[in-house]
Amino acid sequence: MRVSKSFLSDYIDINDIDFQEIADKMVFAGNEYESIEKISSATNLVVGYILDCQKHPESTKLSICKVDIGDGEHKQILCGAPNVRTGQKVIVAKVGATLPGGITIGKAKLAGLKSEGMICSLAELGIESKYLSEEDKNGIHVFPDDAPIGEDAIKYLRYDDEVIDFDLTANRGDLLSILGMAYEIGTLYNKKVKEPNVDVEEIDEDIHDTRRLKVLTDKCSIYLGKLVKNIVIKESPRFIQTRLMASGIRPINNVVDISNYVMLEFGQPLHFFDADKLVKNVYVRMAEENEKITTLDGIERTLSSNDIVIADDNGPVALAGVMGGLSTEVTEETKNIFIEAAIFHPYNIRHTSKRILRSESSMRYEKGIDSARTLLAIKRACYLLNKYASGEVVSGILTHDVTDKSDKKITITIDKINNVLGMQLDKDTIADVFDRLQFKYTIDKNTFTVLVPTRRLDVNIKEDLIEEVGRIVGYDNVKGILPITSIKRGSYLPKTEFIKNVRKRLTSLGLNEVITYSLISEQDSDKFIKETYEKVILNNPMSEDRKIMRNSLIPSLIEVYHYNSSRNIKDVNIFEIGSCYSKVNEDYVEEAKVSGLLYGNYFINDWQHNIIKVDFYVLKGIIENLLKYLGLANRYNFSNQDLIKDLHPGRSANIIVDNEIIGYLGQIHPNINKKEIYVFELSLDKLMNKRVRNIKFKEIPKYPSINKDVAFIVNKNISSIDIEKVIKKVSGRLLTEVNVFDVYEGENIGKDKKSIAYSLTFQDPNKTLTDEEVTVIFNKIIEEVKKQIGGEVRDK
Amino acid sequence: MKEKIINLKKEFLKDLDGVNNLGELNEVRVKYLGKKGYIQELSSIMGSLSIEEKKEYGMFLNDFKNEVNELLEKKRQELEELELNKKLETEKIDITLPATDIPVGTFHPLTRVIEEIEELFVSMGYDVVEGPEIELDLYNFEKLNLPKGHPARDAQDSFYITEEVLLRTHTSPVQARIMEANKDKGPIRIICPGKVYRRDEDATHSHQFTQIEGLVIDEGISMAHLKGTLEIFAKKMFGEDRTIRFRPSFFPFTEPSIEADVSCFKCDGKGCPLCKYTGWIEILGAGMVHPNVLRMSGYDPEKYTGFAFGMGPERIAMLKYGINDIRHFYTNDMRFLKDFNRIEGSDE
């Protein structure tokens, strides 16, 4: 809401108050503003009279003007505007004038001739083109003949008026009017409001003689109609034009401007129909499904049964509260007008305006209208039409009104106010607030009974009154204290704690946490998913890229990889913890997952040639480290069966804990990216459900251990884990460690063969093992590996 | 005999003096203490002496032998130290060469901020809770006093999945959920961090961002308690000298509603570009839980009051670390992430 100081001054005496101070004070009443500025910041402009205007002999565009700028001063000014003529009164920027955008006018030479000043257009004064008429858009501004030569042009145009652009909260529909603003500022400065003049003489004719009103819907609580005849359409007086412009509305002609002006004053939208085109009676009803109307903008609209329409005997003539119809539009030829002032249901207006147009009018309807102002507004419009458009006001008002205009009664105790605000206000302080707000009240001991006027649609319950007291007294009076409450331990959800632990371990393993968007493209949503799942798809996405709630974090991690690698960052090692979404039956499921992506080098010392490149085994190490950290040592294994399609089939594995697949790891399939990028994804929900025992002390072994090394040559397709299983089975509890210390493939051992060397550690917790005991086991291992796997011992 | 030993001693000291390394030292040892060494030679002569002489020279010789041993040992230690020092000298490295890059990861800056806030509130007895991101219109709007068609819904343009299901536009629905779950169990003290989504994107808005919701419900809770709590929060996040200012505002689910400003930590309230020369920086929205919200979720507004606040970790992080564009949090430039690879400092 843009509020001009001069407009406001008509209804409240603020001439001696700095407008900036008002703006700042309003902030602490809950009304923020975005800017405060003059309509034009230009200085040193006067009204000039063009005594003579000649074409420049050497320039097609320039004219040489001799201009009287008052006090008998005549200046030669060169002007490039196409509409400059002898005898015009124009805006002259004198030498030394400043224009918006930091332009200063100096003496100049143009095409060989001196020019002392500049003849200005309104755009050069900083007026946005949306407010300008066609003539003003294309050339200099021409004043009417009665403009006094030498007068300050900014003052004459009333462009020295200051404007605050308020950024209002959604509850304060009452402040979408100058009167509402006057009441609010009146509260802050303890000043009374002067209501606008609405008294007008009416002619000896009654609207009821010619028209009837029928309201056929409960979505219209008030509808008032009035006729004004024989209006003369012309330009509005300067003050109306400038005030509309200051309020963000383009001036059109006196009639249209008056309807907007009254809306700004009262917050009550009006609609003017050309009464001669309005066929007889006026109906307010819900539109029929698929009913058509051509609106003012010439577009044919198809309506639904939630739209309210105004109709005459021929059909719909306006979309209530949103836009008028073309068939009854007020034009230059209009003589008689039918004025509508009504209140429609906000829900329906919102429904219609969301589809068709968000206008100054619909915005006010959506936020609610003071039912006590409808009648005043229609009278005010008649008054102005009579005064500025020579209109003759027909007596009588078509009336439908089912509103309750009595004040809302709210009872509240002083204790309640203080208990909520945490203040210690006395009776007088609170009474003063209600006085300032111009709310009537009675006091009985410590209880206020407050009568809230209809204009404050936002004040309905005790808490609303408490807020009024708080914001007017000022929250600086609240002294912060902590609640006195029983002491208890604050806690995290088990899931949050679990996630914190996973995050802690992964960062300590060198991975950097990222956070990416949950919404991904259709294409990405098919990648890195284990099975077909039902997607969670947006109904109204912003773009195709952000359309589906992801079921895997990996496509997003790949996006982060691309971002970084295209910026020449060679090593990327990242992880993310986040929800993955799906629909299961009718439920939306959010499963917490952790995913990682590693590319490049994991561990680097270049000059020592000591580098560990990311590969499957680095990744496996990270996963094992994490699983062990989570207490799952000895409960996991890796399988290359049933891999998802987006992983390299030879360098990937499913991760299995207690026979349940909880995720996967491996290289991205070259179909997706040819680089050796490794990824993993684990379900945290599944991991969290694994029961893990507490840490329990184990006696440290007292007796020495014995080491034995052995290498087996086996077929290439044999997995190390198969050999390990045999070794473990044969050895039983005496085997405490198995470690692979060498893997060899090559001609020495034959094609399709490989050698895997194990270092085995044996230990008995109860006694010192003898070499003989171990040798017995060792020979049995060799025998069994040969028997079960066909592995031969490799001779040194 | 005695003469001989004295001369021998002089000769030994001379020899010892000439020793430069452990090898030469060994030669000297063999020369005097070896099986065919001088001392053995003198010992063998001893047999031919009288008992008195034996007694006299035997002792003398023994002393000499001990002295030789001692001096040899001393010399050996000296030489070993010398040789070790020589060896250490050769082992000297260039300590200015680059270190091995030990892999270490970082927490995302938003995680840092969220965890810091969580820890603060847990220390005051709050429970950290969570709620679904795919939320019902019922909880996201209606139970928060935002019925269908309410103009305040415009401020939170939403992503819908169906007519009744949407991506939550704020963490506030958790208020309603917690109250419902806790119905009749009395006081509540929670915070809830999480992702939220709005159909809006530019340099200051991301379609996805995070929020932290706080809710306290008890008998006799007032705005003074809200202010006291936020003061503690401001001091923890922005320094001990910070103060809090309330400005009236509007949220459909609180009444009264306020926006809280923290005194500018950069200029101490004097005015600077960060606080746009106001001395204050807006950090969050808050208010007293609206009686309709309490009632709809099963709390009697005549008995209970409460406060709620909602803040943006992005904004807190941007202020705290001077980050200028919200999109940095979601592009995840490795260089950006690694800036957070350290503990907090104390600029103030």
Side-chain angles (χ1 to χ4, degrees), chain B residues 94-256:
Chain B
D94 179 358
I95 58 153
T96 66
L97 278 167
T100 301
D101 194 2
I102 309 294
V104 62
T106 53
F107 289 85
H108 193 279
L110 288 177
T111 301
R112 276 177 85 118
V113 167
I114 290 169
E115 289 200 348
E116 188 176 350
I117 295 169
E118 282 176 352
E119 275 161 30
L120 170 68
F121 282 97
V122 165
S123 78
M124 294 195 282
Y126 286 63
D127 294 328
V128 180
V129 301
E130 62 168 29
E133 292 170 35
I134 298 173
E135 184 54 282
L136 298 174
D137 188 276
L138 179 73
Y139 287 104
N140 195 72
F141 289 129
E142 285 179 44
K143 290 216 169 205
L144 296 173
N145 209 25
L146 273 147
K148 290 209 167 69
H150 194 291
R153 282 192 176 203
D154 290 352
Q156 303 189 7
D157 205 353
S158 321
F159 289 113
Y160 278 90
I161 293 157
T162 70
E163 210 155 290
E164 295 301 329
V165 180
L166 74 166
L167 303 187
R168 66 176 174 193
T169 55
H170 47 185
T171 43
S172 307
V174 179
Q175 282 186 32
R177 284 182 174 275
I178 288 290
M179 277 191 257
E180 261 187 21
N182 208 54
K183 219 181 312 199
D184 302 328
K185 279 186 224 151
I188 293 176
R189 233 184 301 169
I190 55 128
I191 63 160
C192 169
K195 289 173 185 160
V196 300
Y197 306 85
R198 291 189 195 173
R199 232 174 146 274
D200 186 10
E201 187 149 291
D202 58 40
T204 51
H205 297 92
S206 162
H207 74 272
Q208 174 185 320
F209 56 102
T210 57
Q211 272 193 345
I212 298 181
E213 190 80 6
L215 175 71
V216 172
I217 292 182
D218 207 335
E219 291 175 42
I221 293 294
S222 77
M223 293 191 80
H225 299 134
L226 171 62
K227 201 171 193 176
T229 303
L230 294 181
E231 274 166 0
I232 287 191
F233 164 74
K235 287 177 199 299
K236 172 71 176 73
M237 300 306 287
F238 299 110
E240 280 307 311
D241 297 334
R242 301 282 66 80
T243 52
I244 282 281
R245 176 178 86 170
F246 281 178
R247 270 180 297 114
S249 188
F250 170 73
F251 306 106
F253 32 94
T254 50
E255 185 76 21

Side-chain angles (χ1 to χ4, degrees), chain A residues 583-602:
Chain A
K583 205 175 167 195
V584 177
N585 302 322
E586 283 312 296
D587 294 328
Y588 293 93
V589 176
E590 299 178 23
E591 182 183 15
K593 289 187 185 175
V594 57
S595 304
L597 179 149
L598 286 92
Y599 174 78
N601 293 322
Y602 180 65

